[in-house]
Amino acid sequence: MGGMVVRLVAAVGLAALCFLGCAISSCDGQPDYRAALANSLLYFEGQRSGKLPPDQRVQWRGDSALADGRDHGVDLTGGYYDSGDNVKFGLPMAFTVTMLAWGAVEYARPLALAGELRHALGAVRWGADYLARAHTADETLYVQVGEGDSDHNCWQRPEDMDTLRTAYSVDASRPGSDVAAETAAALAAAAVAFRRLDRGYSAMLLQHAVQLFRFAENHRGLYHNSVPDAAKFYPSSGDEDELIWAAVWLFIATGGAEYKAFILGDGNASGVQSALSWDNKFLGAQALVAKLILDGKLPDAGNPAAMKRSLEQFLCDIAQHGGAADAKLSPGGMLWTQPWNNLQFVTSAAFVAAAHADHLAAARSSLQCAAAATLPPPQLLAFARSQADYILGANPGGMSYMVGYGDRYPARVHHRGASVPSIKYSPGKITCKGGFDYFSRSSPNPNVLVGAIVGGPDGNDRYNDSRGDFQQTEPSTVTVAPIVGVLARLLHNRGVLDAPPF
C-alpha cells in the first residue's frame, strides 16, 4: 500500500487524501464506497480543459486550450475532454453533465453527508458553464472544439497541444436537434441541482435550456450531418430520445404545460431499451417519467404508462427476472453489452436501478416481473450494488477497474495526459509524434488518473492492461458520471431516502 500512497500523493496532493488508510479499500474486505465516491469526483478535475481554478486538487494537470473559440470570436474555454484524447465533443459532454446533475439531484443528502456535495456540484458547474458559453445565440450552439483525426494522430498532453482547435457549431441552417436537446437536458438538470443553492445561476441555466429546446424542436436534423467530423467519433442515431429527455427535465424544472404535453404526446414511449448511453437517452427519460407517475405528477396512462412499462421490463431483464429477455451477464456477474467501453453501460444501468429502487420504496411499491415474480426495491438496489462492487474489485480478476482505488488497478490507461510526464515536473514541450514514445512503453503511467473507470474486461471477465487496447483501457466521462450517484446511494444504508429529490 505504501507505494500506492506515494503515487496518489504525487497525483492529487495531500489535501485530497483524507480517505487514505483503511478507507482506500475497507479493512473488512468490503468496498469502501466513500473512498470510491471521492475518487470518482477527482476524476473530473483530471479531465478539465481551460484555466484551472485555485482549488484544483489534481496537481499534475495544468492550464490548457486557453484560445478555444478564438477562431470564431467566442469564448469556448473550459468544459471536459471526453476520454483519453483532447477534443471537446458536445454530445457526450452534455450527457455527462446531465448524469452528474441527476446524481446531485437524486442523492444530494448522501453526497452532503459524505462531504462530497460541493465537489459534485463543482463537477456539474464546470461542465454547465461551458455548455452555457457554447450557446452563443438563441439558435447557435457550438458542439465541438478540435478535430478528431488530427488529435488522434498525436499523443500529447493537453497542455502542449498544437493540433487544430477548430470550433464547430449548429444553427438554423445547419441543424443539430439531437445535441441541442441534450444540451437543454443538461442545463435543465443542472438548474434543478442548483435551484436551492444559487437561484440566479439556476435561472440563467434554465433560460438557456428553454431556448435550446425550442431551437431543437424548430430545426430538426442530426448534428453529425452538419458537423461531419463528429460523425467519425460520436455519430447520433436519432433525436427523438434527446427531445423527450429534455422535455422531461424541463417539466421537472418548470412544471410547464408545454413540456407535459410533449411527454403525453404519442410516439415518445420508444419501447424497451437495452442501455442508457450518450447516444440513447430513452431509458433515462422512462425512469424519470416513472418517478413522476409514482408522485402523481403524470397519469399512469397513455404514453407515460408505456414508458413506465418499458422501464420496468428493462429492470426485470437486467436483474435476471425477465424470462427469455434476461440481459447477458459475464461469468463473474458483470452486465455485458459490447466489447468497447462496456462499463459505460454498467454504470448507467446501475444508476437507473438504484434510482428506481428508491422511487418504488418511497411509493411503497415493488416491481412486477415475468411469471408473477415480485422484485422488491432492496433486490433492485442489490443489482446496482453488485455492479458497483464488480467495478471496485469483486470480480474474477481481483482488480479494481477504478484507477487509484484499491491495491490493484489499471496502470496503463489509454489517456494522453496520464501517460506522458506532467508539465509540472517535465516542462519541456512533448511534440505530437514524440509523445508516442510514452504510448509505446510498457511501464505504468507516470500520472495516476484517480477515479477514472476504464472500458473494462470482455464478456468472459478478461482484461488486458495495455495502453494500445483502447476498447478496454480508455476511460470516459460518460462512464464515471453515473457511478457518482450510485456510490452516494450505497453510502446511505436506509431503505428510503429522507425526502423526494423533485
Side-chain angles (χ1 to χ4, degrees), residues 235-271:
S236 172
S237 59
D239 65 354
E240 294 88 352
D241 56 320
E242 284 89 5
L243 285 165
I244 186 67
W245 176 237
V248 174
W249 273 114
L250 281 161
F251 178 62
I252 291 168
T254 70
E258 65 270 40
Y259 306 119
K260 183 175 183 178
F262 193 97
I263 298 167
L264 296 175
D266 292 335
N268 294 329
S270 71

Side-chain angles (χ1 to χ4, degrees), residues 272-273 313-328 370:
V272 179
Q273 301 299 303
Q313 185 61 57
F314 169 83
L315 292 171
C316 290
D317 293 347
I318 63 172
Q320 308 298 294
H321 286 273
D326 281 354
K328 182 178 179 181

Side-chain angles (χ1 to χ4, degrees), residues 410-413 418-421 437-447 465-467:
R412 298 162 189 84
V413 179
S419 65
V420 175
D437 174 57
Y438 296 98
F439 171 82
S440 61
R441 295 181 183 183
S442 60
S443 56
N445 289 352
N447 307 305
D465 189 18
S466 167
R467 234 171 261 117

Side-chain angles (χ1 to χ4, degrees), residues 118 201 217 239 257 394:
R118 178 173 66 89
Y201 182 64
E217 276 196 296
D239 65 354

